[in-house]
Each structure stands twice: as structure tokens, then as C-alpha cells.
Amino acid sequence: KRSMMSMGSGKGQKAKSTKKQQDQVSRQLNYDEAPKSKKRCCCSLKFLLASLCTLVLAAVGIVVWRYGPWSKDKSVVESLAVTTCDGCCNGSVANCALPVNEVLTGMVHRAHSSSSNGFVGASNARSLEDALVAGYRGLHLSTCTCESLFDLADNQLLERDPEWGLEGSNLGFCHQACGLGVRDPKDVLTNLKTFIETNAREVLILKVDMTGDSGTDFRTALRASGMLDHVYQPDGEYFIRTWPTLQALIDAGTRVLIFGSGDTMESCPARECEDKILYGGDHFIETSAEDGIETCDLNVSGEVMVAYMQMNHYDRSRFGGVMSDAADTNSPSTLEARFADCEGKRYPSILSVERWDEGGVLAFVSAENSKKNLIDREYSITSEERQDVEALLRGSGRR
């Protein structure tokens, strides 16, 4: 019995000892784990602070990079003179007798946005001035009011010429944000005026989207530029059935047509539109740019009384970047295929493209315009009506 009691007592002591040892080990583990947990927390906090500092420095770096004086457009325009034939109108004698809305005009979409002018994600590689010299006679431009960062950076990218009424103005030609690229309105409008005055037989079509609240400042700059002396304004209402020929515009000295949209723009009788800027919605229909280069469908349905149809021909990447294969998109074979697919529908007045220097857009445009004088094509007005319009313009000097 004593032996059994001794054995039982030994087992109890051994169990107590084992439990005591387990408690000591548990306390030791808890003691060891606490510093490790605390250490991991400190490391996470340091990583978070380092990441935050990196993001702040990156943001500051981007602002300094895009808004500093080194980002100012420093491109140089050497000459805006073009070589043309005697008696030509926009590069061809055959164009002279055609109404301006029946000549196929090559237009550069977002012409202000080019890599050569320092734009990030530019729509074109080369400048709008180069496009004019190459032979494009249509330009699409977007005006904007540059973001408030311009004021913090002391607006190093724009001249803000007081003589143009632009002191304190953040007006620029840009798309979305001036930090991604901007052109000074004085530079652009001065070069456009120089082009028109240097090349007496060229007719120019401008489409201007006035984004945000940039409309008033753009009108101020346009008046100051002297461009309005060369702008044509129809003597008509909302729908202009009869447009002058290129030769009539040249003879009258009104060789620029401006169509606007956005800020300060609304439908207006053509003869009353302020600053001779015609409301684009009164005169244009176009294919959907979002549908790429396959569609012939227009942005309105039914029969619409407008003079100009614009075919948008640029294919953007999935993420909204610049065209992935402009040489193929702008090739004559691709353009011929699209025009063939759209045969029987409204014939374009404007062919709008990006990456204008790739492919063969101008060769295609020239060939299309030549066809109009080789076949018996019906126009919207008779030859007698066209002669009456030209006589009226020459006799009255109307602009």
C-alpha cells in the first residue's frame, strides 16, 4: 500500500513539474514573440512612410518636369511657304471650280498635339505647321484653360502677351491637361496668319473645340491676331445651301473658314455668328470616332440639312493612346477600302486623320479630287448657280 501511495505521489509530483515547465516555456514563448510582433509593426510603418515619401517625390518630380521652363515649346518654324502650280487652288487647278464643301479636304485631328511640340501621348509626330507645308488644309484644334498648377509654377509655358489681351490668362491649345503638353495661342494664331498671307492661293478650314471656359479668351486672342481679316462669313441663315468655290474665296480674300463648338458657342444664323466663327453643329455631321475606321454611320440619323460631312479616320489603342499602326491605317489601300464600303452614303467633305505624316493620305485626297473632274458627278448646285455666287462675291466684296 505504501508502495502504491509512493508511486501515486511520484506521478502527481511529475505532473506538477511537467505543468510548471510548460508554463515556463509558454511564458518564454510569449516573451520572445512580443518583440518580434513589435518589430514587424515598426517595419511596416517604415515601409509605409518610405512609400509615401517616394510618391510625394515622384509627384513633385513630375510637376517640375512638366511645368518647368524646360518644358516650354521650343520648336522652330523655318518657313511656311509652299510650292504650288500656277492657278492652283489648294494644290490643284481642278479644285478651283468646286464649292469648298465639295472638295475633299485632309484634316489633322488634334493638330496642336505633336511629339515635336513636347506633348506626352501626342496625337501626331510632327507639328501643325509642318502639316500645312506638306499640304493639309484642315486643322482640328482644342483650346483649354490650363490648370491652377500653372500659377504655382509661375506659368513658364505661356507668354500671356498683354498686347493680345492675355495678361493673367491661362489660355492654351491642349487636350485635357496642359501638363501633358500645351501650345501658346499667340504662336499658333500668328503662324496660321503667316501661312495664309504667304500663300495666296490656299484655303484653310479650322475646327476649334473650346473646352472648359476657354471660349472668351480664345476670341480675344483671335481678334488680336488679325486672322479675322481673312475669315469668310456666309450671308445666310442656319443652313447654307450654296457655298462659294475655292476660286471665289481666293478672289474675295476670305480664305479661312472657322467652325467652333463648346464654350461660348451655340446655333446662330451664319451672317450673325460672333467673330465669324460658325457653329459646327449647324454645318457638320461626322462618323463616330469611337467606332474606329470601319463605320460609315453618322452621329445623327435621317436626312440632315448640312453642307459638310466629316469622316473620322483614326484607330486608337484599347487604352486610348495614339494610333498603333498609322502607316497601315493611313495607307491609300485602307482609305480606298473604307470609301468603297461607304459608297452610296454621304460623301465626305473632310477626311480627319492622326499621325498625318505616315501612310499616304494626301496622295489619296488628291486622287479623289481629281476623279470629280473626270466623271459626270452631280453637285448640290448647278453650274449657273455657282457662277451667280462667284459673281456676287466678286461684286460685293462680301466676307
Side-chain angles (χ1 to χ4, degrees):
K1 193 184 282 187
R2 279 198 298 272
S3 176
M4 291 176 66
M5 289 176 63
S6 176
M7 289 175 63
S9 175
K11 288 181 179 179
Q13 290 177 354
K14 186 174 181 181
K16 289 180 180 179
S17 176
T18 301
K19 184 178 181 182
K20 186 176 181 180
Q21 289 175 352
Q22 288 175 345
D23 291 341
Q24 288 176 345
V25 170
S26 178
R27 284 195 297 270
Q28 182 65 36
L29 288 172
N30 290 337
Y31 177 79
D32 292 340
E33 288 174 357
K36 290 181 180 178
S37 177
K38 186 176 181 180
K39 186 175 182 181
R40 282 197 297 270
C41 182
C42 289
C43 290
S44 298
L45 183 60
K46 288 180 180 178
F47 177 76
L48 182 62
L49 289 173
S51 299
L52 183 61
C53 289
T54 301
L55 289 174
V56 171
L57 289 174
V60 171
I62 291 173
V63 170
V64 172
W65 168 49
R66 294 308 305 168
Y67 293 92
W70 41 81
S71 292
K72 184 177 177 62
D73 177 21
K74 298 181 178 64
S75 61
V76 178
V77 179
E78 295 182 357
S79 174
L80 288 169
V82 299
T83 302
T84 187
C85 52
D86 292 338
C88 282
C89 303
N90 283 10
S92 172
V93 174
N95 292 334
C96 296
L98 296 176
V100 62
N101 62 313
E102 295 186 11
V103 177
L104 179 61
T105 298
M107 175 174 283
V108 181
H109 183 244
R110 293 180 188 165
H112 53 279
S113 172
S114 74
S115 300
S116 64
N117 294 113
F119 279 69
V120 177
S123 296
N124 301 282
R126 295 168 59 189
S127 69
L128 63 88
E129 290 86 356
D130 286 345
L132 289 173
V133 173
Y136 284 87
R137 294 297 172 262
L139 299 177
H140 166 263
L141 303 167
S142 292
T143 65
C144 63
T145 300
C146 292
E147 51 272 22
S148 57
L149 280 172
F150 259 54
D151 295 323
L152 295 177
D154 195 26
N155 196 350
Q156 299 289 324
L157 308 185
L158 299 175
E159 187 174 340
R160 285 178 161 176
D161 191 339
E163 294 185 3
W164 280 49
L166 296 177
E167 65 277 14
S169 170
N170 279 349
L171 174 69
F173 286 101
C174 79
H175 179 64
Q176 295 181 337
C178 292
L180 299 177
V182 62
R183 292 210 58 184
D184 193 291
K186 182 178 179 180
D187 291 344
V188 171
L189 293 175
T190 297
N191 289 341
L192 292 178
K193 181 171 180 281
T194 299
F195 175 82
I196 284 297
E197 293 180 346
T198 302
N199 305 287
R201 299 196 63 81
E202 306 302 318
V203 176
L204 189 60
I205 297 177
L206 303 178
K207 287 191 74 179
V208 184
D209 291 334
M210 291 169 257
T211 65
D213 59 354
S214 62
T216 299
D217 283 351
F218 171 68
R219 291 175 182 276
T220 298
L222 184 63
R223 296 181 198 122
S225 71
M227 273 278 290
L228 289 177
D229 293 339
H230 303 285
V231 176
Y232 170 72
Q233 185 166 24
D235 184 14
E237 297 294 325
Y238 298 93
F239 169 63
I240 309 300
R241 183 172 183 270
T242 303
W243 287 81
T245 64
L246 264 63
Q247 184 62 60
L249 291 170
I250 291 170
D251 292 343
T254 53
R255 294 179 288 113
V256 180
L257 286 75
I258 305 180
F259 300 90
S261 61
D263 187 42
T264 74
M265 290 303 306
E266 60 183 7
S267 181
C268 52
R271 65 167 68 92
E272 299 176 11
C273 292
E274 186 179 2
D275 299 316
K276 304 180 183 179
I277 304 176
L278 306 177
Y279 180 60
D282 290 337
H283 305 281
F284 269 80
I285 52 175
E286 58 187 274
T287 61
S288 172
E290 286 72 22
D291 292 339
I293 61 173
E294 304 297 331
T295 185
C296 301
D297 296 333
L298 301 173
N299 59 345
V300 294
S301 59
E303 291 295 326
V304 182
M305 300 286 285
V306 296
Y308 296 83
M309 190 285 241
Q310 177 174 316
M311 178 180 282
N312 294 308
H313 191 80
Y314 39 89
D315 192 10
R316 293 186 166 274
S317 71
R318 179 182 301 178
F319 302 105
V322 296
M323 289 167 53
S324 55
D325 191 1
D328 180 65
T329 299
N330 293 342
S331 68
S333 59
T334 301
L335 290 165
E336 287 168 4
R338 187 175 186 188
F339 271 58
D341 289 342
C342 297
E343 188 173 359
K345 298 189 176 182
R346 182 74 181 263
Y347 188 85
S349 310
I350 304 290
L351 177 60
S352 180
V353 301
E354 292 186 354
R355 296 283 168 175
W356 58 264
D357 58 324
E358 299 183 46
V361 177
L362 292 177
F364 174 79
V365 168
S366 178
E368 283 295 301
N369 285 325
S370 296
K371 293 177 185 177
K372 298 172 185 178
N373 295 276
L374 295 175
I375 62 175
D376 184 18
R377 182 175 180 272
E378 292 185 1
Y379 293 98
S380 59
I381 61 175
T382 65
S383 59
E384 290 78 14
E385 287 176 317
R386 195 175 305 134
Q387 291 172 3
D388 291 341
V389 173
E390 293 174 10
L392 180 63
L393 281 169
R394 286 194 294 268
S396 64
R398 187 177 72 240
R399 301 191 174 193

